[in-house]
Amino acid sequence: MIKFNENNGFYKSPFGSIEERTQMTLRIKIMKNHLAETAQVVFLHEEKNEYLTKDGRLEEEKEGMLQILFSIQLDQIGFYLYHFEVTDKNGEVEKTEPIPLLVYQSSYQTPPWLKNGLMYQIFPDRFAKSQAYECPTQSKNMVLRDDWGGIPNGQPDENGIVQNNDFFSGNLQGIIEKLDYLQDLGVSVIYLNPIFESYSNHRYDTGNYKKIDPLLGREADFIELCQKSREKGIRILLDGVFNHTGSDSLYFNKNGRYEEVGAYQSKSSLYYNWYHFIEYPDQYESWWGINTLPHVNELEPSYLDYMIRNEDSVVKHWMRLGASGFRLDVADELPNQFLEELRIAVKSINPDGAVIGEVWEDAVTKIAYEKRRQYFWGKQLDSVMNYPLKDAIIDYLVYDKDGVALERKINCLWEHYPKPAFQSMMNILGTHDTPRILSVLSDNSWGDEYSRQRLFLAMLILSFMPGIPSIYYGDEIGMRGGKDPLNRMCFDQTKGDSYILLFIKKLFRFRKKIQQLGEFEYKPRTSEGGFYSFQRILETDRIVIAVNAGNQDHLLNLAMKDKESIKDFFISGSVTFERQGVFRIKENSGIAIHISCM
């Protein structure tokens, strides 16, 4: 039997993914009576299909176990699978299961502002409408709603198509007017769902990448938004929808609304090579078979020029006007070369710019279209939307109430992700693609207060995980809703839950007081039953976070060291002081404690 634990520093050092050319130490233990002849560790570089084998040496013999040491340096970045092989004197070989390991580029760094602060996601049509902006007449088929807060139309038309063409006319000036509210909440980054000219209210069917949708405003409004946001310490992050365009667009022009000749209209169009026609013009590749979203060939040179390479490319244009980066829609469908060039373009305008991917799974082990993705090798993404964390928190609070399972899921990301990426995760509880978090956490049999407390525990965990917590607009006032379009209702603070808003404000004010929080190292603590805890550590300070989703009280022992004292704490629910360094955490309650060594 081969004994090895990649999560234990004795068996593997350094922990988790490693930089290229880092000296790594591995240890295994085997029974002395195994009569081992040889012991090897075998690494497979998956992309290159190359093997590297290293022999181990006997380090010591203790208590009937042989301790074997391996010292190895991996010089090529990439995704590896490694395992151990022990051959006995009879030629029998024992192998361990393969273990994933990412070796990333040593120069890989992520923007410091992704490690701190608070992100706020806005669906532009539904957040805020300013009367100061008057929209010009539009040529597209749309329904302008005058009932702010009404139910969006999600029903198919007579042809079975959901048009998504009803607009409540939220606009950029409305966001500008809400900046004081967002600043008071503690927001440091606004992530905007698409704002470019499009047919639909969600605007993921881009019509013109270089034009603000007239319903939202003008380019001058975007510049003003960036400037006034920056004055308040807030950055603007744009949604980059680069895998497909709208069929009703400047580039495809299926409906003939644009003056320029589109790919659908003529093979001589400047944009014809952007698309793949199966039978011209009506059969073409589209995103998930939706014919209003024709798929583009991202590696077509003219497309790369227009989007990335030209001096006034789409990416450079909006970065120069004040954007701090892009969240990339359906990143799984964007080629490696496209992602690498886009990252270079963003950083060329602003070295502190961010590239965040929409990835719903583990971004290191992710396979899409039969290929391992290279998001965190050091050349593509700074961060991804942390859907695995969201799912793990919901499972913990609603379904299994298993603190050990939650710890295991988070530790898996901690182990797999490069440290610069793990510290920069876009941590979410909900987005425009998921039901509202309060609706997910609600339990009608227990009532609103129980649901609120579940939300508070979720926010407590989210707020202190490495990375930047992200609030989907309205979650801070307890907006509810199921799937699209009910998760995209209009924001109205007067109809919100002021108790939830007050809690979140207090939580983020407590969080903001902890200096250099983004540099604090993540460490798991004791978890059992419905109890989950972790801590963040930096030099003489640590923050302990503990929550109890179970139905039994749990005692939290801080294991205080000499000269340590509690500097501050934040409580959710019912937590009582038992004795020095010990707290009783009751059901559906939690605490964050800032401890300092004086």
Side-chain angles (χ1 to χ4, degrees), residues 509-526:
R509 285 168 186 164
F510 170 81
R511 183 180 184 272
K512 191 173 183 179
K513 287 190 296 183
I514 302 172
Q515 296 182 1
Q516 294 183 286
L517 177 60
E519 302 302 323
F520 280 61
E521 297 281 350
Y522 167 84
K523 295 292 182 184
R525 293 187 85 250
T526 302

Side-chain angles (χ1 to χ4, degrees), residues 60 84 172 194 223 409 465 484 532 540 542 588:
E60 69 175 19
F84 297 95
L172 297 184
I223 294 172
K409 293 170 185 176
M465 276 291 154
D484 171 25
Y532 169 67
T540 59
R542 61 186 174 115
N588 226 13

Side-chain angles (χ1 to χ4, degrees), residues 399-459:
Y399 301 111
D400 57 39
K401 298 189 177 183
D402 186 341
V404 176
L406 175 59
E407 178 183 299
R408 185 171 59 247
K409 293 170 185 176
I410 293 172
N411 286 353
C412 188
L413 299 177
W414 178 42
E415 179 189 352
H416 289 175
Y417 286 15
K419 182 178 177 180
F422 186 66
Q423 291 179 321
S424 304
M425 286 295 96
M426 178 181 169
N427 294 327
I428 58 175
L429 291 174
T431 71
H432 62 291
D433 285 325
T434 66
R436 288 277 178 181
I437 185 59
L438 188 59
S439 294
V440 174
L441 298 177
S442 291
D443 187 331
N444 293 331
S445 63
W446 288 88
D448 286 348
E449 181 57 31
Y450 191 82
S451 302
R452 281 195 201 102
Q453 277 304 126
R454 276 181 167 177
L455 176 63
F456 295 164
L457 294 193
M459 287 301 303

Side-chain angles (χ1 to χ4, degrees), residues 333-520:
E333 303 187 33
L334 297 173
N336 290 329
Q337 180 185 337
F338 185 87
L339 290 173
E340 290 169 12
E341 292 201 32
L342 186 144
R343 178 182 173 84
I344 291 170
V346 166
K347 307 290 185 180
S348 72
I349 304 300
N350 181 358
D352 234 10
V355 182
I356 301 174
E358 180 198 11
V359 181
W360 288 59
E361 299 85 10
D362 184 319
V364 167
T365 60
K366 171 81 188 226
I367 294 176
Y369 301 98
E370 301 181 346
K371 287 187 177 295
R372 186 83 62 183
R373 296 311 315 244
Q374 301 178 13
Y375 300 132
F376 287 151
W377 291 21
K379 298 181 179 181
Q380 296 183 5
L381 302 181
D382 295 303
S383 172
V384 293
M385 303 173 78
N386 205 345
Y387 280 99
L389 175 63
K390 174 191 77 72
D391 295 340
I393 291 174
I394 291 171
D395 286 346
Y396 166 66
L397 292 174
V398 179
Y399 301 111
D400 57 39
K401 298 189 177 183
D402 186 341
V404 176
L406 175 59
E407 178 183 299
R408 185 171 59 247
K409 293 170 185 176
I410 293 172
N411 286 353
C412 188
L413 299 177
W414 178 42
E415 179 189 352
H416 289 175
Y417 286 15
K419 182 178 177 180
F422 186 66
Q423 291 179 321
S424 304
M425 286 295 96
M426 178 181 169
N427 294 327
I428 58 175
L429 291 174
T431 71
H432 62 291
D433 285 325
T434 66
R436 288 277 178 181
I437 185 59
L438 188 59
S439 294
V440 174
L441 298 177
S442 291
D443 187 331
N444 293 331
S445 63
W446 288 88
D448 286 348
E449 181 57 31
Y450 191 82
S451 302
R452 281 195 201 102
Q453 277 304 126
R454 276 181 167 177
L455 176 63
F456 295 164
L457 294 193
M459 287 301 303
L460 200 58
I461 297 170
L462 192 82
S463 298
F464 290 97
M465 276 291 154
I468 185 167
S470 177
I471 293 178
Y472 182 46
Y473 81 100
D475 283 350
E476 79 279 11
I477 60 170
M479 285 180 64
R480 296 174 183 257
K483 295 181 179 180
D484 171 25
L486 299 181
N487 59 347
R488 303 175 183 181
M489 299 282 285
C490 296
F491 179 86
D492 186 346
Q493 189 180 343
T494 64
K495 296 179 180 179
D497 187 323
S498 58
Y499 186 59
I500 293 177
L501 180 60
L502 180 61
F503 174 89
I504 289 177
K505 282 184 177 180
K506 288 182 176 179
L507 173 61
F508 281 99
R509 285 168 186 164
F510 170 81
R511 183 180 184 272
K512 191 173 183 179
K513 287 190 296 183
I514 302 172
Q515 296 182 1
Q516 294 183 286
L517 177 60
E519 302 302 323
F520 280 61

Side-chain angles (χ1 to χ4, degrees), residues 191-207:
Y191 155 45
L192 296 172
N193 285 117
I195 60 173
F196 306 135
E197 183 177 71
S198 306
Y199 170 81
S200 301
N201 52 42
H202 54 68
R203 299 187 173 93
Y204 282 94
D205 53 340
T206 311

